[in-house]
Amino acid sequence: MSIVVFEKITEVRTWSERIGASDLSVGFVPTMGALHEGHISLIDRAKGECDRVIVSIFVNPTQFNNSSDLANYPRTYDRDLKLLTDAGCDVLFFPSVAEIYPKPEKRHWDFGLLSNSLEGFFRPGHFDGMLTVVYKLLEIVRPQRAYFGEKDFQQLSLIRAMVQQEQIPVEIVGCPIIRESDGLAMSSRNMRLTPDERQQALAINRVLYYILTAIDQSDPSELSVRGFELLTKSAGLRPEYFTIVNARTFEPLATWPTNDDSVALVAAYVGEIRLIDNMVIKKKALSES
Ligand code: PAF
């Protein structure tokens, strides 16, 4: 079956209502395009759990706090369309900026540390724009389930918090990070790395794994400092943060919690490209250490 492309909100609404009226479920994968295997893994999961799958490609201007990042964000429509067709996706929603934002709009959302720390601190306004568009897209598509990658760990936590606060009837499904064979977390930004930077970027994943091997000898605050130093001094990256926080509350940790998972989160520049990655440290791993 070939994929159907909708550019208009009304077309998506009519389609989604028709699917719902036949008692079939809709799975939704919002993206900004430049698709890679990480996105395809979300689509595969959605296909396994839902009767119909819709993907959106919308490079959302309101979540870019840097205009050159928006201008340089990769746009690979023809390749994306082929990947979506091969993945068996039913519908692509590909709206224009005017379709989503007939007038300028950016709601403000405050979820304490979840929205204000780390990405929220270093990319002011990013989460307001991201949550505004996810709220709008969920309201347009009205899926039973929506799929997001755990690579954007803070984004996923915020989307869960927003959906709960706004009482949107959708199940948010978080899916594991997909890595290249050498460990680099898949990201649309990776295609902008030079071959040398691509090699240098491997340090991010290496340091995260190193942290995992050191949890029984050191407390999280020591490891946060060590991770930052390793990225800076040994790998020559420019980290904005390397920190271990409570995976539910995002509180920075002095000692390992016994009731919650922890997560090591990193954002670092490799050349001009800003990459993020993370590793969840299960409370089970800690109790066994
Ligand atoms: O993760 C992304 O690609 C974007 O932040 C999202 C969720 C599609 C919203 O624009």
Side-chain angles (χ1 to χ4, degrees):
M1 274 252 304
S2 65
I3 188 166
V4 179
V5 182
F6 293 139
E7 293 183 4
K8 297 288 170 212
I9 291 173
T10 50
E11 294 171 313
V12 176
R13 285 224 169 97
T14 309
W15 174 81
S16 177
E17 276 163 22
R18 189 165 51 73
I19 304 296
S22 330
D23 256 352
L24 297 175
S25 58
V26 171
F28 178 35
V29 183
T31 81
M32 298 205 299
L35 303 179
H36 50 69
E37 276 174 55
H39 296 111
I40 303 302
S41 77
L42 304 182
I43 296 168
D44 286 346
R45 174 87 178 262
K47 276 181 67 74
E49 295 177 353
C50 308
D51 298 306
R52 297 287 182 274
V53 174
I54 174 167
V55 171
S56 62
I57 295 182
F58 180 63
V59 182
N60 174 34
T62 65
Q63 72 186 74
F64 285 82
N65 54 329
N66 173 328
S67 54
S68 78
D69 195 21
L70 172 61
N72 291 321
Y73 200 83
R75 288 162 173 86
T76 55
Y77 180 81
D78 293 339
R79 190 175 165 275
D80 290 351
L81 191 62
K82 168 140 188 13
L83 283 173
L84 292 175
T85 309
D86 293 349
C89 166
D90 299 289
V91 172
L92 167 63
F93 180 36
F94 185 61
S96 65
V97 173
E99 183 71 8
I100 297 294
Y101 297 111
K103 57 179 174 38
E105 186 183 342
K106 191 164 172 175
R107 269 179 76 173
H108 177 61
W109 312 76
D110 190 352
F111 292 103
L113 278 178
L114 239 61
S115 51
N116 304 333
S117 66
L118 307 176
E119 292 298 286
F121 177 80
F122 284 101
R123 301 184 66 190
H126 164 65
F127 281 143
D128 284 340
M130 181 280 291
L131 286 174
T132 299
V133 86
V134 171
Y135 177 85
K136 279 169 148 303
L137 290 170
L138 289 176
E139 205 274 318
I140 293 166
V141 178
R142 304 206 176 173
Q144 273 65 48
R145 297 185 194 86
Y147 296 80
F148 298 88
E150 284 171 0
K151 186 172 84 68
D152 293 281
F153 190 88
Q154 197 173 0
Q155 164 173 288
L156 175 59
S157 306
L158 275 169
I159 291 170
R160 289 190 198 284
M162 181 273 282
V163 159
Q164 195 181 15
Q165 174 179 293
E166 302 297 327
Q167 300 181 312
I168 305 176
V170 62
E171 183 191 336
I172 300 298
V173 184
C175 302
I177 299 177
I178 304 292
R179 296 182 181 279
E180 304 281 359
S181 54
D182 57 11
L184 184 67
M186 291 207 184
S187 162
S188 306
R189 291 192 159 85
N190 293 353
M191 59 177 80
R192 292 174 56 203
L193 297 169
T194 65
D196 281 353
E197 289 169 346
R198 172 78 183 60
Q199 275 305 108
Q200 232 190 326
L202 297 179
I204 297 177
N205 170 63
R206 240 190 353 255
V207 172
L208 284 170
Y209 273 97
Y210 159 73
I211 296 297
L212 209 53
T213 64
I215 52 177
D216 47 352
Q217 297 109 37
S218 307
D219 67 34
S221 51
E222 283 164 1
L223 288 180
S224 296
V225 174
R226 206 176 307 158
F228 193 99
E229 278 177 3
L230 282 171
L231 287 178
T232 314
K233 293 187 185 144
S234 317
L237 306 190
R238 299 190 325 278
E240 282 188 330
Y241 59 82
F242 185 102
T243 187
I244 302 175
V245 301
N246 179 306
R248 188 174 49 83
T249 63
F250 276 69
E251 276 167 276
L253 294 171
T255 55
W256 296 109
T258 45
N259 296 329
D260 278 319
D261 291 344
S262 312
V263 59
L265 296 153
V266 50
Y269 277 95
V270 187
E272 292 310 305
I273 311 301
R274 185 178 187 276
L275 299 178
I276 60 170
D277 199 347
N278 69 78
M279 186 157 297
V280 174
I281 302 161
K282 294 276 175 203
K283 58 182 180 219
K284 186 164 169 293
L286 290 169
S287 61
E288 281 169 357
S289 69

